[in-house]
Amino acid sequence: MMVLVALMYLVAFGAWKGLLAPWVTFPDDIDHGWERTAELHRLADGAAGTFMVALSAGALILAVRPRGRSALAAWTGAALAVSGGFSWLSALIQGHDGVGGQAVFSAAWVAIIALVFLVLHPEGRAIARGGAPDAAGTRPGGWVRTALAVTVGCAAAAALAAALWRASGGVFESPLEDDVFSLVYLGGLLALGAWLARAGREGWRPLTAIVLASAAYAVVGGVMIALT
């Protein structure tokens, strides 16, 4: 299942295009419900691509070794639940028809994710707590621990700032856009992942690699967009 999840985000959802958004602008062939100028959405598209690739990386790692990495499983499950659970709100903002049907899909999606990660998974109780303590009692140290702490603060602040900016009427191009979700998702989930990894929960090593690589990529991409 985790392999299918990764393929869904990487291929069907075109995560790789979003990942390249800071450098390459691809023609936008998605029906957003309004005319969209892709160049104006590079930041949001880049955030969406980074988020989906990070989620896919977590899913693929769990596909290879699903047990003994309960913190990584908790983070991946949370990312999956968030990405589908708020699709109804996205449809509402964009003015799409069938919001009620999308709400049903969102509820079913979250229920399936909960079933897979919290009920069917043999470590469901540990996953529900955000992961069990590392079996060997290890946790990040040195510059890695510092980098994770900085990521928690900066990512959470970025997510909050994006939400407040949109709530105050800020848009990239149109009030019908849902781009801010990408920024909030990426910031919030990087903060969560960094916090779990810094706490030394099971699977903190691969989670640290995913979080810090994603954060670094987001910073570089953001600087690139600001300079062009």
Side-chain angles (χ1 to χ4, degrees):
M1 177 182 176
M2 290 297 98
V3 173
L4 292 177
V5 165
L7 289 175
M8 177 178 71
Y9 282 93
L10 293 174
V11 180
F13 290 176
W16 63 275
K17 288 185 178 181
L19 196 68
L20 296 177
W23 290 269
V24 182
T25 303
F26 294 94
D28 197 335
D29 55 0
I30 300 175
D31 178 18
H32 295 276
W34 53 282
E35 198 66 31
R36 186 177 191 263
T37 306
E39 288 81 1
L40 298 178
H41 304 269
R42 292 167 62 202
L43 181 63
D45 289 348
T50 304
F51 163 74
M52 289 190 287
V53 170
L55 188 163
S56 299
L60 289 174
I61 293 172
L62 290 174
V64 175
R65 182 182 161 190
R67 304 192 64 169
R69 292 174 172 170
S70 54
L72 179 61
W75 181 82
T76 304
L80 285 169
V82 165
S83 65
F86 288 97
S87 60
W88 67 273
L89 186 55
S90 175
L92 180 64
I93 291 174
Q94 294 185 58
H96 288 178
D97 294 331
V99 174
Q102 193 63 45
V104 172
F105 167 81
S106 295
W109 176 268
V110 172
I112 291 172
I113 298 303
L115 177 66
V116 171
F117 284 89
L118 304 181
V119 179
L120 298 180
H121 197 291
E123 299 173 344
R125 290 186 178 180
I127 292 173
R129 297 193 300 269
D134 183 75
T138 60
R139 61 175 56 198
W143 70 268
V144 174
R145 186 172 178 80
T146 300
L148 288 171
V150 171
T151 300
V152 170
C154 291
L160 179 60
L164 292 176
W165 173 73
R166 184 66 176 89
S168 66
V171 296
F172 292 97
E173 182 179 17
S174 166
L176 294 177
E177 68 195 25
D178 66 343
D179 291 36
V180 72
F181 284 114
S182 300
L183 301 171
V184 173
Y185 291 171
L186 179 63
L189 288 165
L190 286 184
L192 174 63
W195 182 78
L196 292 175
R198 192 170 185 271
R201 306 290 180 87
E202 280 186 332
W204 67 264
R205 289 182 176 84
L207 184 55
T208 294
I210 291 172
V211 167
L212 293 186
S214 299
Y217 192 86
V219 170
V220 172
V223 171
M224 181 66 184
I225 291 171
L227 295 176
T228 57

